[in-house]
Amino acid sequence: RKEVEQDPGPFNVPEGATVAFNCTYSNSASQSFFWYRQDCRKEPKLLMSVYSSGNEDGRFTAQLNRASQYISLLIRDSKLSDSATYLCVVTQNSNSGYALNFGKGTSLLVTP
Amino acid sequence: DVKVTQSSRYLVKRTGEKVFLECVQDMDHENMFWYRQDPGLGLRLIYFSYDVKMKEKGDIPEGYSVSREKKERFSLILESASTNQTSMYLCASSFRRGLINEQFFGPGTRLTVL
């Protein structure tokens, strides 16, 4: 089983729609969770960290379910500019170092 | 604003050549990382460093080495480039040793090995 799994999509949604992505992880010792956004031919950039209590930033809401080992990203009122690939990142720290696991990304296309 | 720069945006090399990819960050970050990104495979960690002269292998270190002589600079070395090392290479940095925080990525170097 892969460490971090995401549905690659693409998700094609009209402007104004609400869309949700899930990401599952296999290591129950995972400690930190993030969503990154990557535009075509650009580098990934942090969209938001994911906290245990869930967190919201404008139209974006991230949630963590440790029991079921998944994180989610909800985008409300989609804009054309939201079109991108969304990467789920799960990390673990240990005495032997770090483990950084990126999902392969979910592609979102918002259409007029 | 954090800035991570990479020495080249595009690079074409021949099989067997030694290749140096340079990465510089200007925010005094302790952690630095090298990834490669390939279609269908996503981002894969090659090496990372959490301090000067320190390095740790990532998931796919074979065929690569790294050097971190100064805090701001992290170099990726392909000792003898091969065609399967054709890829997009991304460098990243983050602050706070011992804890993974936000990573700031450079613009990437698209390497083609002929």
Side-chain angles (χ1 to χ4, degrees):
Chain A
R1 183 181 172 187
K2 294 186 177 63
E3 291 279 350
V4 178
E5 293 201 59
Q6 295 182 249
D7 181 344
F11 284 63
N12 293 325
V13 302
E15 265 186 296
T18 296
V19 62
F21 310 134
N22 280 340
C23 167
T24 58
Y25 61 94
S26 59
N27 189 334
S28 59
S30 298
Q31 295 162 295
S32 302
F33 308 88
F34 307 88
W35 283 103
Y36 279 72
R37 171 196 168 124
Q38 186 172 23
D39 293 300
C40 189
R41 299 186 182 280
K42 298 281 190 181
E43 71 272 21
K45 292 185 179 177
L46 181 68
L47 178 66
M48 56 199 304
S49 303
V50 186
Y51 304 122
S52 297
S53 54
N55 47 301
E56 189 173 309
D57 183 4
R59 298 182 292 108
F60 298 84
T61 300
Q63 292 194 314
L64 167 64
N65 185 319
R66 283 192 184 272
S68 300
Q69 294 183 199
Y70 76 85
I71 66 173
S72 63
L73 178 67
L74 181 79
I75 305 175
R76 289 181 299 277
D77 188 23
S78 299
K79 311 291 185 192
L80 296 177
S81 57
D82 293 334
S83 297
T85 297
Y86 292 83
L87 304 171
C88 166
V89 182
V90 176
T91 71
Q92 301 97 38
N93 301 331
S94 70
N95 291 335
S96 60
Y98 314 121
L100 284 151
N101 296 293
F102 278 77
K104 294 179 183 178
T106 297
S107 176
L108 171 66
L109 179 62
V110 181
T111 54
Chain B
D1 241 9
V2 176
K3 197 165 183 187
V4 180
T5 56
Q6 295 183 227
S7 49
S8 306
R9 292 300 302 271
Y10 299 93
L11 207 53
V12 180
K13 294 291 181 180
R14 296 205 176 275
T15 300
E17 279 193 81
K18 190 168 186 175
V19 182
F20 292 88
L21 302 182
E22 303 284 341
C23 175
V24 178
Q25 49 94 4
D26 66 359
M27 279 300 291
D28 203 33
H29 283 174
E30 285 143 331
N31 302 328
M32 295 189 76
F33 308 82
W34 273 108
Y35 297 89
R36 63 179 282 178
Q37 187 172 31
D38 301 285
L41 296 176
L43 271 162
R44 293 179 292 168
L45 182 65
I46 305 171
Y47 267 97
F48 67 93
S49 169
Y50 52 85
D51 206 345
V52 175
K53 296 193 186 295
M54 304 301 287
K55 61 183 179 184
E56 294 285 343
K57 292 180 180 179
D59 299 320
I60 51 163
E62 296 78 21
Y64 304 95
S65 61
V66 290
S67 173
R68 186 135 181 235
E69 295 297 317
K70 293 185 178 180
K71 192 173 185 179
E72 68 271 17
R73 189 180 297 268
F74 192 34
S75 302
L76 180 69
I77 303 150
L78 287 66
E79 294 290 340
S80 178
S82 62
T83 54
N84 63 12
Q85 292 178 310
T86 292
S87 186
M88 170 66 83
Y89 289 88
L90 288 157
C91 173
S93 71
S94 70
F95 69 92
R96 200 181 304 176
R97 175 179 176 175
L99 182 67
I100 299 296
N101 283 291
E102 176 181 3
Q103 292 185 52
F104 295 86
F105 285 84
T109 295
R110 186 166 292 281
L111 172 67
T112 302
V113 182
L114 301 175

